[in-house]
Amino acid sequence: MHLISINDFTNKQIVKVLDLAEEIREHPEDFQKLLDGKILANVFFQPSTRTRISFESAMLRLGGKVINIGDMAMTSTSKGESFEDTVRMLDDYADIMVIRHFEEDAVKDVKSISQVSLINAGNGMDEHPTQALVDFYTIRREFKRLNSLNVVICGDLLYGRTVHSLIHVLIRFNNRIYLVPGGRRGLNKDFRDNLEYLYPDMTRLMLFPETTLFSRLYALYPEKGLKMFSSEYLRSIANIQIIRSSDSGGDIKPSVLYMTRNQQGTVPINEDAQEYDPYPVITQILLESKFFNEPIIMHPLPRGPELPVSLDNHPRSRYFEQAQNGLYVREALLLLMLNVVKW
Ligand code: CP
């Protein structure tokens, strides 16, 4: 089996990954030889610290071995070899492949020719399913559940692939999502249309035409039968988040504030985008505001100015823990996808 999209896994399989990750965390000694004799190929056509190295560490901790494709300039890709041919070769050299590619379709196109399992470690701006599993695992460790949470996802929703996978998984487990795009980096229409198609009874979108720091707030409601808040009320909440509060926001208060970096620099952007609203930043004032005085702070990293280092010791910061959790989740994935542990 391959993991290209988070939707390649059923809810049951997602829970299995998280359960196994927890077992590995608690009893690492029970797993340390299970992948003896297996080889993982790390095939990264884009830079990575957490994903690539945590997969490598995960494989080594389970007793397996790792080959890295390394610098592209030193491979036959630089002589014009196609990605398909590269994957065909690696198929013979490894038992499982982790692939990050700048083109959205590259990993999708090779899944039918690969004899070994492929794990998508980020395909263009599309998805990053293993990050979503890491995020979901972090959320479950915090709240001891996977549903009925209010999650604010903020930042580059257009190009940030981590949030695309996370949105699917949050909706599938009946969580409420507030989307706060940085500038005009909202979800693109195709993605929103696909959400409407996949979850016809569950998804609704709302728009806040506010000009505050969190200038546009969309909400995805998993409940059938949209629970409507008046635009007046929503507007007041939106203002409260940024300025000061006289209203708690009731049961719509967020449990998680998930921030992402501006992908500018990673992807080409429209020149006009430079002139859009400033990118949101998590500030101490924001975290003390009534709407945001409870949520944990998550971020897939690497960060930019949206997540100041002054927050690293904040009692609600969880982003380094999130990165650490990547190890256990990826160990679990390797064991399951290599069929060494039964699903
Ligand atoms: N979160 C994440 O994908 O980080 P890397 O780009 O360092 O792998």
Side-chain angles (χ1 to χ4, degrees), residues 59-189:
M59 193 65 181
L60 296 176
R61 282 168 192 262
L62 296 168
K65 292 189 170 56
V66 182
I67 50 177
N68 275 287
I69 196 162
D71 184 353
M72 288 302 128
M74 298 303 289
T75 71
S76 289
T77 305
S78 65
K79 295 185 261 175
E81 185 164 52
S82 69
F83 182 56
E84 285 77 4
D85 283 357
T86 305
V87 167
R88 265 185 227 278
M89 297 304 108
L90 290 168
D91 231 21
D92 296 327
Y93 305 158
D95 300 292
I96 191 163
M97 258 182 259
V98 178
I99 299 175
R100 175 172 287 186
H101 203 285
F102 46 88
E103 282 178 10
E104 180 174 329
D105 290 334
V107 67
K108 295 177 185 171
D109 290 345
V110 293
K111 69 179 185 180
S112 59
I113 62 168
S114 177
Q115 302 300 308
V116 303
S117 287
L118 305 180
I119 299 178
N120 176 13
N123 60 320
M125 296 302 120
D126 185 28
E127 281 213 48
H128 192 346
T130 71
Q131 180 67 47
L133 293 168
V134 171
D135 299 340
F136 218 35
Y137 175 73
T138 305
I139 286 171
R140 190 176 75 167
R141 293 203 91 235
E142 186 74 28
F143 299 102
K144 314 295 178 220
R145 67 179 196 274
L146 289 171
N147 63 334
S148 306
L149 296 162
N150 296 328
V151 180
V152 175
I153 302 182
C154 183
D156 195 338
L157 314 181
L158 184 60
Y159 297 120
R161 57 193 169 199
T162 65
V163 301
H164 296 157
S165 300
L166 183 61
I167 285 170
H168 281 290
V169 84
L170 287 170
I171 292 176
R172 284 171 49 187
F173 281 80
N174 288 319
N175 295 286
R176 185 183 292 155
I177 308 169
Y178 303 106
L179 300 176
V180 185
R184 292 193 190 176
R185 301 299 184 88
L187 296 176
N188 76 23
K189 186 172 179 323

Side-chain angles (χ1 to χ4, degrees), residues 47-52 100 128 131 162 300-302:
S48 167
T49 298
R50 276 146 293 274
T51 313
R52 184 174 67 80
R100 175 172 287 186
H128 192 346
Q131 180 67 47
T162 65
L301 302 175

